[in-house]
Amino acid sequence: FYEEYLVRLLKVMGEPPIRALNVSSGSEIYRMIFLPSGLPPTVVRFQGDGDKYFKKTILTGPYGSEVQRCILYQSVETLTKTEWDRFKEDLNRVDIESLSESEVIPVFLDGVSAYLEVVNDMGSYFIDRSNPSYQTEERGLEAYRDLFDKYPQKVLFSFSSGAISDSFQFSSY
């Protein structure tokens, strides 16, 4: 279910599969997909290519029937080398290689799904965590939670507090 849902959600957001993005030698792409229960899905993608760095943020919400979604907010920001390095420091605390692809959840917990997709010279990774704050303390998991708190969750807070404004664009699944 989630794989199909993610593909449809990313399509609505205009986000291609991460492996379809142009990744040249030395390029890095990191996409965080944040699906909190009862709140708009949020995607934050960081991309670095040589000396060019940017961050793309997309926030969607339901509109009308469940087969339609609208983009509530979208931005693309050019990052400075310092901002990129700060993000990479946050990311390096996660220790991606030490996290298994997904954890086994004994019971369904309504709450948050947090996905991290990575493509770089080391390969590609897809990490899936549901309610990471409720799981056993896997190495790097606290930093994983912090990464999602600092980036996608911060966007949601800014949107819900009115710090960023609505810019409705409609799209169908």
Side-chain angles (χ1 to χ4, degrees):
F1 166 76
Y2 272 108
E3 188 173 319
E4 183 180 311
Y5 176 78
L6 286 176
V7 169
R8 290 185 306 168
L9 179 66
L10 291 172
K11 186 176 180 180
V12 166
M13 293 179 160
E15 281 286 289
I18 199 158
R19 291 186 179 126
L21 293 168
N22 187 14
V23 181
S24 57
S25 179
S27 295
E28 303 171 78
I29 302 171
Y30 306 92
R31 181 164 55 197
M32 291 175 275
I33 305 167
F34 189 63
L35 305 174
S37 181
L39 294 171
T42 306
V43 168
V44 178
R45 175 167 43 106
F46 287 85
Q47 190 163 341
D49 189 6
D51 60 351
K52 298 176 190 169
Y53 312 99
F54 76 89
K55 177 175 79 171
K56 182 176 183 181
T57 304
I58 308 167
L59 183 73
T60 67
Y63 177 78
S65 69
E66 286 194 21
V67 296
Q68 284 189 323
R69 296 197 79 73
C70 62
I71 295 176
L72 300 174
Y73 173 78
Q74 181 170 296
S75 74
V76 177
E77 303 169 50
T78 301
L79 301 176
T80 65
K81 175 82 167 108
T82 302
E83 291 168 322
W84 175 258
D85 290 343
R86 192 174 313 126
F87 164 71
K88 291 292 298 273
E89 284 175 22
D90 293 338
L91 183 72
N92 287 336
R93 287 188 197 104
V94 174
D95 191 12
I96 294 166
E97 290 84 6
S98 75
L99 290 175
S100 58
E101 191 169 293
S102 63
E103 83 283 0
V104 176
I105 303 172
V107 288
F108 178 75
L109 298 170
D110 189 25
V112 173
S113 293
Y115 304 92
L116 176 63
E117 296 177 295
V118 177
V119 176
N120 59 26
D121 285 341
M122 302 298 288
S124 62
Y125 302 90
F126 178 81
I127 301 170
D128 166 7
R129 289 292 180 277
S130 295
N131 294 307
S133 61
Y134 298 119
Q135 304 307 309
T136 57
E137 282 304 316
E138 186 177 0
R139 182 176 163 213
L141 197 54
E142 186 174 340
Y144 190 81
R145 284 193 303 266
D146 292 346
L147 189 68
F148 279 82
D149 286 348
K150 188 169 185 175
Y151 296 101
Q153 197 162 340
K154 186 177 178 182
V155 171
L156 275 174
F157 177 76
S158 296
F159 183 80
S160 62
S161 69
I164 56 178
S165 62
D166 300 359
S167 57
F168 294 100
Q169 301 168 13
F170 300 99
S171 183
S172 294
Y173 274 54

